[in-house]
Amino acid sequence: MRLSRRERLLVAALVFAVLPLGIFLTVLVPLHDHRLQAQATEAEAQALLVWVADQTVEKSICSSPTFLPHPPAPLG
């Protein structure tokens, strides 16, 4: 089966333009979306880790024997 010049150009355009675009849209875009979601989840986990560390420090300060919740009353 012989193709005309115009048909060959259309087949070339299909192979070199449409096929890579299809691969891009079906493979790379979802991978990028998953990466963004993973980065957001990681940032949330790091924020939680910082919060837990702060709460631990606060609890250890509050439970230390030298911690006074209110300043002592003045003498005299």
Side-chain angles (χ1 to χ4, degrees):
M1 182 162 125
R2 306 253 316 148
L3 298 177
S4 69
R5 179 182 169 124
R6 184 175 183 175
E7 290 171 335
R8 286 192 301 263
L9 284 173
L10 289 173
V11 169
L14 178 69
V15 169
F16 292 112
V18 176
L19 189 61
L21 182 63
I23 291 172
F24 175 77
L25 291 175
T26 58
V27 175
L28 297 179
V29 171
L31 285 176
H32 180 69
D33 291 342
H34 288 297
R35 180 179 179 176
L36 291 177
Q37 184 179 8
Q39 287 174 338
T41 304
E42 181 183 12
E44 184 179 342
Q46 287 176 347
L48 180 63
L49 182 66
V50 168
W51 181 82
V52 168
D54 288 344
Q55 294 297 313
T56 304
V57 168
E58 185 177 329
K59 182 168 175 56
S60 68
I61 289 173
C62 291
S63 64
S64 69
T66 59
F67 176 73
L68 298 173
H70 301 289
L75 297 175

